[in-house]
Amino acid sequence: QVQLVESGGGLVQPGGSLRLSCAASISRSTIKTMAWYRQAPGKQRELVARITGDGSTNYADSVKGRFTCSRDNSNNTLSLRMNSLKPEDTAVYYCYAIISPVDTNSAYQYWGQGTQVTVSS
């Protein structure tokens, strides 16, 4: 049973910082790409940042230079450091992972339950 559990959301003032974490519980599997998505009220879910197994990253233009995505493969964790937060960053942030059971060529997508980030004065 795969579980992705996010933590670290909350209320922060504009210009502030937050760090989100995602812990993946897996068994006999390999985590491939991991990513953070977000969904604001009335909007579609969008990619924020993605990181491959070898550490290559890409970011949405709206967060480049402000957000940093990293992962710890030894602990199966994903992090998102968010600086210079803006009201438009307000959204539910979701952890995403592509996970492959060992000794198979299959891969499956998993989502966390989401964590709310609110940027407001």
Side-chain angles (χ1 to χ4, degrees):
Q1 183 75 12
V2 174
Q3 276 193 314
L4 302 178
V5 180
E6 301 101 335
S7 60
L11 173 64
V12 63
Q13 292 187 341
S17 298
L18 278 177
R19 184 181 182 91
L20 304 184
S21 296
C22 173
S25 298
I26 62 172
S27 175
R28 292 182 50 79
S29 300
T30 300
I31 302 177
K32 306 295 187 180
T33 295
M34 301 186 81
W36 290 99
Y37 283 76
R38 68 186 181 187
Q39 187 166 19
K43 295 189 176 181
Q44 288 190 329
R45 191 172 297 190
E46 64 174 359
L47 176 68
V48 176
R50 176 168 45 214
I51 184 166
T52 62
D54 63 1
S56 298
T57 55
N58 63 286
Y59 297 89
D61 288 342
S62 59
V63 307
K64 281 181 182 176
R66 300 188 298 122
F67 290 11
T68 302
C69 181
S70 61
R71 62 189 285 176
D72 182 343
N73 291 331
S74 64
N75 291 323
N76 296 326
T77 57
L78 176 71
S79 297
L80 185 68
R81 177 65 179 178
M82 304 184 292
N83 296 327
S84 303
L85 283 160
K86 304 175 181 180
E88 51 264 43
D89 294 317
T90 295
V92 178
Y93 284 69
Y94 296 91
C95 177
Y96 166 91
I98 298 175
I99 296 173
S100 177
V102 297
D103 300 327
T104 75
N105 292 321
S106 302
Y108 303 94
Q109 302 178 70
Y110 295 90
W111 293 90
Q113 82 286 354
T115 185
Q116 177 70 46
V117 172
T118 302
V119 184
S120 176
S121 54

